[in-house]
Amino acid sequence: MPNNFTEFPLHRPELLETLRRGDRLLTEAMSQDRKRSRKGDEIIRASERCDTIYRLEAGWVCRSRVLDDGRRSIVTVFLPGDLFGVKSMLSTEPPDAVVALSNVTALAIKHDRLQQLFAAEPSVALRLAFQLGEDERRLHNYLIALGRGNAEERIATMLLELHGRLLLAGITQNGAFQMPLTQQEIGDFTGLTLVHVNRVLRRLRENGLATVDRRTVEIHDLPKLHRLALPILDTFQRTRPEFGGGRQQLWH
Amino acid sequence: MPNNFTEFPLHRPELLETLRRGDRLLTEAMSQDRKRSRKGDEIIRASERCDTIYRLEAGWVCRSRVLDDGRRSIVTVFLPGDLFGVKSMLSTEPPDAVVALSNVTALAIKHDRLQQLFAAEPSVALRLAFQLGEDERRLHNYLIALGRGNAEERIATMLLELHGRLLLAGITQNGAFQMPLTQQEIGDFTGLTLVHVNRVLRRLRENGLATVDRRTVEIHDLPKLHRLALPILDTFQRTRPEFGGGRQQLWH
DNA sequence: CGTCGGCTTGAGGGAAATCAAACGATGTGG
DNA sequence: CCACATCGTTTGATTTCCCTCAAGCCGACG
């Protein structure tokens, strides 16, 4: 564990600068080792030990598992600015793979170098802890969405969540963004079939909430979308600026 | 992050002793501060900062969230031997609460004391990292179960998983254990209604796989149950001894 | 031009939810 | 000790949400 802090940013505005600093330092340290992957590539293979941590520069990446009978599940989606492979530092080989959803560039750093780095620079450790915390919070939210949400709530939640994260990463404004997911992949992520994903998307379009057309998402009525997803959203997503009001960019 | 290792036990048998040692040391260090909770108590309240880490001694505990409209979701279940509150060290206040599922005793330690401890004793850090890794692995598995598994698969998976963990914790043998969950709570955990949970349990009973009667689980046909859950199980659960063959106790 | 991957729509079926009621344990107070 | 309330379980009838199967469509690309 990082020895220098036990707190978290965003609800602790005074740490925001430290967090940004950690991200900047980390990015610099990684900037020599840039790795490209093409859509569909396995960046980290399932059950293969990996001694590298990545920072996604451009493109989308997911952690997914394919069941024997062909069912597929996407556990998490990583967006530009996210670190992935972090818990490979402390846990076992994962039973699932990290796959590029689009063409991707990522910066890489080996565990041992990283450890030197954040021994010297607490802000980098903050950045890592932030990533772990966010990953887990998202995981909990998706678990609740899958367990208790219906199809509309799940998809609305997904759109809002991705939108909010892209805003924080400074990649998008005013409700439009690129989403390199096929409807099949949206289904793998939300636990639905592609047919049903399609119908829900149509409904959202017909009701003027949002359109998802060929990799492009446009959110037309954020408040309504928000209301739809509301029961599923956690307390932070309800009040956080990026889900409606003002905004606050983290990096990029 | 712990500076002294980047690996994981169980698949690295040489670390097993270190892990056990870490658990022992941690338990000793915590043994002064014993906390009791009654069934239903909130041990960690939602969105309340918490500077304490617990090791569950006896009883069951869960992390759960109640939605506005009354729907409830259980995100994780902690069993005796588990550490909880670990990520409160590095992340934000969680949006959900930790609740006692039965009467409970837990050992407690403050973050700052813990940090001193594992600065001196790497094995304690290993124990913490182990917990984080296991928590995450379980979370991923449940996500996949909820996203792609049907009711029978989910419940079979749950029973197997709990059984396996209790075995590892040395709490149970030969397929019988106490499970202080109402059928409603099983539903909250598996994303089903209590009515449907009941029907699935009946089916399992009628087919001679397992009986769940008033807090007591008896697994009668582990191979069949295993086969039922197989598509959902991760690679480790498929091969690990505790899910069928020999066993290897971790602590208690 | 044909093919292929992804999207769209329809028809029908099935798994799980909902609604509703009764039953069984456990506990409590008269 | 019995009446009664409470909590959890069990079962039935009905509905609904989502899946499955199937076919057509559209755009990209060789």
Side-chain angles (χ1 to χ4, degrees), chain A residues 200-223:
Chain A
V200 171
L201 290 180
R202 172 167 41 142
R203 233 176 297 153
L204 292 184
R205 180 171 5 104
E206 286 171 355
N207 297 331
L209 300 197
T211 58
V212 179
D213 186 35
R214 203 119 31 77
R215 318 289 127 102
T216 304
V217 178
E218 290 178 58
I219 295 180
H220 296 119
D221 192 336
L222 197 123

Side-chain angles (χ1 to χ4, degrees), chain B residues 100-120:
Chain B
L101 290 165
S102 64
N103 291 341
V104 153
T105 64
L107 302 177
I109 190 171
K110 298 281 182 198
H111 286 172
D112 42 13
R113 264 205 69 213
L114 182 60
Q115 291 194 348
Q116 290 168 19
L117 185 60
F118 71 59

Side-chain angles (χ1 to χ4, degrees), chain A residues 1-9 11-12 47 49 63 65 67-69 71-76 86-96 111 115 118-119 125 128-130 132-137 139-144 146-150 153-154 184 187-193 230-236 238, chain B residues 1-9 11-12 47 49 63 65 67-69 71-76 86-96 111 115 118-119 125 128-130 132-137 139-144 146-150 153-154 184 187-193 230-236 238:
Chain A
M1 313 302 107
N3 283 316
N4 319 71
F5 55 87
T6 57
E7 308 290 9
F8 182 84
H11 317 95
R12 314 230 334 152
S47 65
R49 172 154 286 117
R63 179 173 285 279
R65 190 187 304 175
L67 310 187
D68 296 339
D69 53 12
R71 285 178 286 183
R72 181 167 179 253
S73 199
I74 292 181
V75 172
T76 319
V86 178
K87 44 240 150 201
S88 67
M89 287 189 72
L90 36 79
S91 86
T92 174
E93 321 99 73
D96 29 43
H111 286 172
Q115 291 194 348
F118 71 59
L128 287 180
F130 173 76
L132 285 174
E134 284 293 284
D135 287 355
E136 161 141 354
R137 198 181 54 77
L139 224 50
H140 284 180
N141 288 343
Y142 273 103
L143 206 66
I144 290 167
L146 291 189
R148 290 302 186 207
N150 60 31
E153 289 169 331
R154 293 185 210 173
Q184 176 64 57
D188 293 338
F189 192 29
T190 52
L192 302 169
T193 59
L230 195 61
I232 306 298
L233 298 182
D234 70 40
T235 44
F236 304 137
R238 294 180 183 196
Chain B
M1 314 302 108
N3 282 317
N4 318 71
F5 55 86
T6 57
E7 306 290 7
F8 182 84
H11 317 96
R12 315 233 330 155
S47 64
R49 173 153 285 118
R63 180 173 285 278
R65 190 187 305 175
L67 310 188
D68 296 340
D69 54 12
R71 284 179 287 183
R72 184 169 177 251
S73 199
I74 292 181
V75 172
T76 318
V86 179
K87 60 240 143 188
S88 67
M89 286 190 73
L90 36 80
S91 86
T92 174
E93 320 99 72
D96 30 43
H111 286 172
Q115 291 194 348
F118 71 59
L128 287 181
F130 173 75
L132 284 174
E134 283 292 285
D135 288 355
E136 161 140 355
R137 198 181 54 78
L139 225 49
H140 283 181
N141 287 344
Y142 273 103
L143 206 66
I144 290 167
L146 291 189
R148 291 301 185 205
N150 61 29
E153 289 169 331
R154 293 186 211 173
Q184 175 65 57
D188 293 338
F189 192 30
T190 53
L192 302 168
T193 58
L230 195 62
I232 305 298
L233 299 182
D234 69 41
T235 44
F236 304 137
R238 293 180 183 198

Side-chain angles (χ1 to χ4, degrees), chain A:
Chain A
M1 313 302 107
N3 283 316
N4 319 71
F5 55 87
T6 57
E7 308 290 9
F8 182 84
L10 277 184
H11 317 95
R12 314 230 334 152
E14 73 277 17
L15 284 182
L16 196 67
E17 265 320 306
T18 314
L19 182 65
R20 288 207 181 104
R21 178 183 153 83
D23 190 67
R24 206 171 51 243
L25 287 169
L26 181 58
T27 306
E28 280 165 20
M30 299 172 93
S31 61
Q32 294 92 325
D33 190 1
R34 178 172 282 100
K35 184 184 156 106
R36 265 167 235 287
S37 304
R38 331 200 88 253
K39 178 181 175 125
D41 286 356
E42 290 197 350
I43 300 175
I44 303 176
R45 213 169 297 273
S47 65
E48 184 171 273
R49 172 154 286 117
C50 162
D51 60 351
T52 308
I53 284 180
Y54 300 92
R55 182 182 193 274
L56 193 50
E57 256 195 336
W60 291 28
V61 155
C62 74
R63 179 173 285 279
S64 83
R65 190 187 304 175
V66 178
L67 310 187
D68 296 339
D69 53 12
R71 285 178 286 183
R72 181 167 179 253
S73 199
I74 292 181
V75 172
T76 319
V77 170
F78 295 107
L79 306 182
D82 284 337
L83 307 177
F84 60 92
V86 178
K87 44 240 150 201
S88 67
M89 287 189 72
L90 36 79
S91 86
T92 174
E93 321 99 73
D96 29 43
V98 174
V99 182
L101 290 166
S102 64
N103 291 341
V104 154
T105 63
L107 302 177
I109 190 172
K110 298 280 183 198
H111 286 172
D112 43 12
R113 264 205 69 214
L114 181 60
Q115 291 194 348
Q116 289 167 20
L117 184 60
F118 71 59
E121 263 295 346
S123 64
V124 172
L126 179 66
R127 176 69 186 87
L128 287 180
F130 173 76
Q131 189 70 44
L132 285 174
E134 284 293 284
D135 287 355
E136 161 141 354
R137 198 181 54 77
R138 288 206 314 271
L139 224 50
H140 284 180
N141 288 343
Y142 273 103
L143 206 66
I144 290 167
L146 291 189
R148 290 302 186 207
N150 60 31
E152 284 197 351
E153 289 169 331
R154 293 185 210 173
I155 289 192
T157 304
M158 181 196 76
L159 292 176
L160 280 177
E161 210 258 340
L162 293 172
H163 173 61
R165 286 166 67 196
L166 289 171
L167 262 181
L168 274 181
I171 292 178
T172 181
Q173 319 88 16
N174 51 31
F177 57 94
Q178 293 303 110
M179 175 173 74
L181 298 177
T182 67
Q183 294 186 353
Q184 176 64 57
E185 286 164 338
I186 297 175
D188 293 338
F189 192 29
T190 52
L192 302 169
T193 59
L194 99 170
V195 178
H196 203 60
V197 166
N198 185 287
R199 291 195 224 276
V200 171
L201 290 180
R202 172 167 41 142
R203 233 176 297 153
L204 292 184
R205 180 171 5 104
E206 286 171 355
N207 297 331
L209 300 197
T211 58
V212 179
D213 186 35
R214 203 119 31 77
R215 318 289 127 102
T216 304
V217 178
E218 290 178 58
I219 295 180
H220 296 119
D221 192 336
L222 197 123
K224 261 195 198 163
L225 199 62
H226 195 266
R227 209 170 317 131
L228 187 56
L230 195 61
I232 306 298
L233 298 182
D234 70 40
T235 44
F236 304 137
Q237 287 173 322
R238 294 180 183 196
T239 54
R240 269 185 177 176
E242 69 271 22
F243 290 94
R247 58 199 51 160
Q248 174 177 58
Q249 187 172 322
L250 278 185
W251 37 72
H252 259 257

